[in-house]
Amino acid sequence: MKNIILILFLIPVLASSQNFEGTLVYKNDIEIAEKFSKQFGMTKEKMMESGKFFEETLITYKNGNYLSKPNKGKIKVIYLSDRNEILTLDKTSDLVPAIKAEIDLETELKEKSPKITIEQTDEIILSIKCSKVIVEWETGTYEYFFNSDYLKMDSALYTNHKYDMWSEYLKLSNALPLKIVKKMDGMMTITMTLKEIKEHSVKDKIFELPKLELSKEFAVTKGNQIYYEKK
């Protein structure tokens, strides 16, 4: 559980039988625990100034791949199903951190899977009533809000994406989330609320990676992290 990765129009979407292809725009908010904020001098404003938090996140989906990027900045995150890695690319750096998506880190370290439940809610996003999947780790909780009639997504496309329990969420929802609430105990709560849906054809080119080689300087043998360098 990590990687804070990172309005104008509200467009309701008609139910579709096909997997969603296009871009979802989320409005982001963050609440930092008072004790954590005082201890580390961390505030929402400081995080925005340093480029660690952004007001919006745009996520583009196609055929089991996705690209996530903030509305500002030079960083983008790409997940490719054939690699099953989540790669963070920064135009200002030759180092490319990646997450092995087949690993949920807390499950790996503690040998204990999170508790996953589903329930109905009164939450309405873009005029759509939501259910939610709740994923409870020892260190925090994720809440994925969804409606299975909207933003449909076949869970089989992400079978090996265990990170953030994404595959398990999709098995229950078969739909992309309308809202995500990430609660990290004693630290912060990040909320991503869908504000715009752009259904459009996506070119494969946006998922292309630069030539990469494993980093010799940043070699990691345990956990779910791996590092590459641009050639």
Side-chain angles (χ1 to χ4, degrees):
M1 292 178 62
K2 61 177 185 176
N3 283 31
I4 301 174
I5 316 196
L6 95 275
I7 291 174
L8 299 179
F9 303 98
L10 300 181
I11 308 177
V13 180
L14 296 177
S16 169
S17 60
Q18 297 179 340
N19 291 322
F20 175 79
E21 181 175 329
T23 301
L24 303 181
V25 182
Y26 292 89
K27 179 182 178 180
N28 302 326
D29 195 15
I30 186 169
E31 294 182 16
I32 303 174
E34 184 177 356
K35 183 177 180 180
F36 187 77
S37 178
K38 288 181 178 179
Q39 183 177 358
F40 295 97
M42 187 179 294
T43 65
K44 178 179 178 179
E45 291 71 26
K46 287 182 178 180
M47 290 182 71
M48 291 180 68
E49 289 174 5
S50 63
K52 294 180 180 179
F53 180 79
F54 298 90
E55 291 181 324
E56 292 182 1
T57 298
L58 292 77
I59 308 179
T60 300
Y61 293 91
K62 182 181 181 181
N63 294 338
N65 300 325
Y66 63 74
L67 181 150
S68 175
K69 62 181 181 180
N71 59 321
K72 298 178 182 179
K74 300 179 180 180
I75 295 176
K76 61 182 179 181
V77 175
I78 294 177
Y79 170 76
L80 297 174
S81 56
D82 59 346
R83 295 178 67 109
N84 204 31
E85 292 177 340
I86 306 166
L87 301 102
T88 300
L89 292 100
D90 185 341
K91 289 183 179 180
T92 65
S93 175
D94 288 332
L95 187 66
V96 179
I99 293 171
K100 299 176 184 177
E102 72 270 18
I103 298 175
D104 173 72
L105 190 57
E106 188 166 311
T107 302
E108 181 89 353
L109 295 177
K110 297 181 178 293
E111 298 183 349
K112 180 182 178 181
S113 297
K115 178 183 177 182
I116 301 176
T117 54
I118 185 170
E119 64 182 46
Q120 302 298 315
T121 78
D122 294 324
E123 188 92 13
I124 296 177
I125 308 293
L126 297 184
S127 301
I128 302 170
K129 193 172 187 302
C130 301
S131 301
K132 70 176 176 180
V133 170
I134 306 167
V135 185
E136 299 177 76
W137 290 270
E138 287 187 11
T139 55
T141 302
Y142 276 21
E143 296 178 348
Y144 293 101
F145 292 77
F146 71 95
N147 184 310
S148 294
D149 291 330
Y150 298 83
L151 302 178
K152 290 179 178 292
M153 185 60 67
D154 184 357
S155 62
L157 293 172
Y158 294 95
T159 299
N160 296 316
H161 194 313
K162 305 297 183 184
Y163 182 73
D164 283 350
M165 287 290 122
W166 183 244
S167 59
E168 299 303 311
Y169 157 71
L170 286 176
K171 286 178 186 177
L172 294 172
S173 67
N174 288 300
L176 298 172
L178 298 162
K179 180 178 176 180
I180 306 172
V181 180
K182 304 179 179 182
K183 302 176 182 178
M184 286 152 273
D185 293 345
M187 297 173 60
M188 63 189 71
T189 298
I190 298 170
T191 302
M192 301 171 63
T193 305
L194 188 63
K195 55 171 278 188
E196 186 176 355
I197 299 166
K198 301 178 180 180
E199 193 165 4
H200 61 89
S201 177
V202 176
K203 295 182 179 179
D204 293 330
K205 186 176 181 180
I206 72 166
F207 302 112
E208 289 181 357
L209 299 174
K211 291 184 178 180
L212 302 173
E213 60 183 5
L214 283 172
S215 173
K216 295 179 181 178
E217 182 178 358
F218 295 91
V220 180
T221 57
K222 294 183 179 180
N224 64 352
Q225 195 82 43
I226 189 170
Y227 292 89
Y228 296 99
E229 292 180 356
K230 298 174 187 175
K231 290 186 178 180

